[in-house]
Each structure stands twice: as structure tokens, then as C-alpha cells.
Amino acid sequence: MTTTTLRQASAPAAPAAPEKPAHRDGNVLRWLGAYTASMLGDNVYYIALSWAAVQAGTPSQAGLVMAVSAVPRALLMLGGGVVADRFGPRKVVIGSDAVRCAAVLAVAALLFATGPGLWLLALLAIVFGTVDAVFMPAVGALPARVTSRGQLARVQGMRGLAIRFANVVGAPLGGLCVALGGAAAAFGLAGMLIALSVPLLVSVRMKDLPADGKVAERTAWRDLSDGLRYIRRHPVLAPLIAAIALGDLGFVGPLNVGLTLLADQRGWGASGMGWVLAGFGTGAGAAAMLLTVRGRLPRAGRLAGVAILAGAVAIGSLAYVPSLAVAVGVALLIGLLAGLSGALCGALLQTQADPAYLGRVGSVSGIVSLGLAPLSMPMTAAAIGWWGTGPVFVTSAAVCGLGGVLALCVAPLRRAELPK
């Protein structure tokens, strides 16, 4: 053995290259740009759909058109998770955005040529809801393929910022477009924004995960059964999804229809309700920014449970605040805690799930958030009519708090950590 060989053998191994933070990774930023453009398009689309439906029919008919997309989304989302795992989330997301873009632009062209018909708007809503059933689980499975496990919490924070940006900018943009060019112009803008996401997604490099390609060897029904069995037996995912379900069930009603009724009873008016919602959005945005900057928070499972529990207390107190200013402050705290717990729960879902099951795990979580939780809104409205805002807000807070208690009582979830 030569002296050079001996020197090479005895030399210490070179240190591994430092991991590039997600917010400085061009690949992640292209994915984030695609996601933001798609979410902006969604927000403009819903403004255009609601306006066109109101113009074409009665308020009750318009409400039916707006609600009809939720049915296929809730019924088909479990199957959507299987599709995402079988064919890969990249193909599914690109295909879904292409279909959504084509459908919205086709309706825009028809509305330019003729008056809006409820049947056309209902058909568009059904198509959109059906495509969403496969789009949403696939979107949830993408982060693990565009970044490393250690950056997933930061990516969840960046995703939260994109959602807040789309919500803040998309609705006024859609309203302005409707005011200037009518629903057809707004549909056209929504289609173009969704179309922008397609080339960005095509340019994103996505790594193959160890289990990619194995799902397609089995039948779809067996894939679905295996996914549900996997979640049920997992020591962290099962209680985590249950905690998310309880948190959303107790959160959605008060912060949507409940807040509207509370603002009306207190005489805050629409502007006051807007200030409260702005406080919530600011808090949620701050939580997303915290995760984006920090990248990782220790004791993620314990922190998520504490945030859910503290957020539940804040929700219950919202009905008893003495003034609008205090309500805005409480809403800011709720947004901060909800944003923190939501991002941590999302990151834990990403990092705890086996790569082969990410789509199906996302579909079960999506059904909880988008299928079960919205059912609490009419129940909340009816309950407030019977018992008033205070008891209903407190009851909803108790349901939400059970999610935090569950997270803190189940040891594997309480001890769950995000990767370093």
C-alpha cells in the first residue's frame, strides 16, 4: 500500500454537504409558485361561480350550486387517494389542473357567447368537485417528493403562507374581475391562473420514494382496504387523524357561520366581522411564517396538542368578549394557534406516513376536513338559534379541546418528533 493510499485511508470522511433550506431551494419555490397560482385560481373561480349562480337563479338555487361540488369531493376522495398512490401525485396533480383549467375556460367561453344557465354552472361545480377528489390527496403527497424529510415542516409553513396569500388576494381579485368584465371574465382569469401552475409543475424535479410503483401491482379495492388498515394500526397516524377531526369539527362552525351570527348580535356589522377575520388570518399567517423561518419545532406532537387545546379555550371565550377590539385580539390568537397546530399536524402526517400510503393518508385527512367538518356549520347555526352563541361556542370549544386532549394522552403521538 502506497503512502498516498495510507493517507487517504486514514483521512477523516468529508462532512456531508449542508442541507439547502426549502425557502432557498429553486425546485421547492417552483412547486410553491405552481401551488399558489392554482390556489389563486380556485379563489377567483369560487367568486365567479357564486356571482354567476346568483345572477342566474334564486339565492337558494345559488346556494345549491355552490354546495353541489362538495358531494363528489366527499364521496370520491378515498378513491382519489388510491389514484394518487397508484399513478404518482405528480401526474395526478398536473392532469387535475389541466382538466380544471379546460373546464373553467370552456364555461368562460360559453358565458361570453350566451347567458349563464344554472345547469351549466352546476355541471362545472360537479366536474370541479370530482377532480378535487383526486387533486387534493395528490397535492398532499407532493411535498415529500420535492424536498427532504428535514425540510417538510418548513414546506408546510410555506404552503400555509401560500394559502393565506391566495385567500387575501384571490377574493378581491375575483370581485374586481366580476365588476369589470362579469362572471365570464372572472372564469377566464381563474382558468389562466390554474393554467399557469401546469408548466411550473412540469419544471419541478421530483424524487422517487422507496415505495413508488409498488401500489399499482394490486387492485384498487385492495389498495383502499390496505390504506385504511394501515392508518387504523399506525400508533401515530390513527390518533393524529382523530385529533384533527375533533379539532376541525369544533373549529369550523364557530369560525364560519357562528362568527357571522355573533357579529350580527353584537352589532359589529360586516366590517366588524371583517376585522375579526383579518385578525384570524394575521395570526395564521404568523404561525406559517414561524415554521417557514425556523424549519422545525421540537416536541411537535406535544406542541400540536397544546396548541389545539389552547385554541379551543380561545374559541370558547370569543362569544364572551366585551368589545370588537378584544374579539380581534382573540381571533388573532386563535389564528396563531390554529395555524401552528395545523402546520405541525400536516408535517407529522407527511413524516410519519410510509411513502406508499401518502395519498391515502391525505385522502382520509381531507375527508375529515372537507367532508365532515363542514357538516357542523348548519348544525351550529341551528344550535345558536335554540341556545344562543355562548353555549354553542363553549360546546364547540369542548369538542375541539378533545382533539388536544387526545394528542396529549396518546403517548406515541405526544412523543412524535419531526426529523432533524
Side-chain angles (χ1 to χ4, degrees), residues 248-354:
D248 284 346
L249 282 171
F251 172 85
V252 170
L255 266 295
N256 286 274
V257 63
L259 180 59
T260 303
L261 296 174
L262 180 65
D264 181 62
Q265 291 179 6
R266 295 295 185 87
W268 297 340
S271 62
M273 185 180 69
W275 279 109
V276 175
L277 289 174
F280 172 80
T282 302
M289 180 62 74
L290 173 65
L291 270 178
T292 300
V293 173
R294 288 290 303 272
R296 180 184 182 273
L297 295 175
R299 298 180 178 86
R302 186 189 304 272
L303 184 57
V306 170
I308 294 172
L309 196 56
V313 174
I315 289 172
S317 67
L318 188 60
Y320 298 96
V321 293
S323 66
L324 175 59
V326 178
V328 172
V330 172
L332 190 149
L333 178 61
I334 294 172
L336 180 64
L337 294 167
L340 181 62
S341 63
L344 287 173
C345 288
L348 285 170
L349 284 175
Q350 290 280 324
T351 54
Q352 293 289 327
D354 186 286

Side-chain angles (χ1 to χ4, degrees), residues 182-287:
F187 277 125
L189 176 61
M192 288 187 288
L193 286 168
I194 296 172
L196 179 62
S197 71
V198 176
L200 286 171
L201 282 170
V202 171
S203 71
V204 174
R205 300 184 309 275
M206 297 192 188
K207 61 183 179 181
D208 291 329
L209 296 179
D212 282 353
K214 295 182 180 178
V215 179
E217 300 171 1
R218 303 186 295 269
T219 65
W221 180 254
R222 183 180 172 186
D223 290 342
L224 179 57
S225 301
D226 286 350
L228 295 176
R229 190 180 305 112
Y230 169 76
I231 293 171
R232 188 177 68 249
R233 294 176 177 175
H234 198 285
V236 174
L237 292 179
L240 177 59
I241 291 176
I244 293 172
L246 289 167
D248 284 346
L249 282 171
F251 172 85
V252 170
L255 266 295
N256 286 274
V257 63
L259 180 59
T260 303
L261 296 174
L262 180 65
D264 181 62
Q265 291 179 6
R266 295 295 185 87
W268 297 340
S271 62
M273 185 180 69
W275 279 109
V276 175
L277 289 174
F280 172 80
T282 302

Side-chain angles (χ1 to χ4, degrees), residues 75 82 116 173 193 290 299 362 406:
L75 292 178
V82 173
L173 186 61
L193 286 168
L290 173 65
R299 298 180 178 86
L406 177 64

Side-chain angles (χ1 to χ4, degrees), residues 44-73:
V44 175
Y45 157 77
Y46 282 112
I47 292 293
L49 182 66
S50 62
W51 180 260
V54 167
Q55 296 298 304
T58 64
S60 60
Q61 290 172 329
L64 184 61
V65 168
M66 293 300 295
V68 74
S69 64
V71 176
R73 185 168 57 209

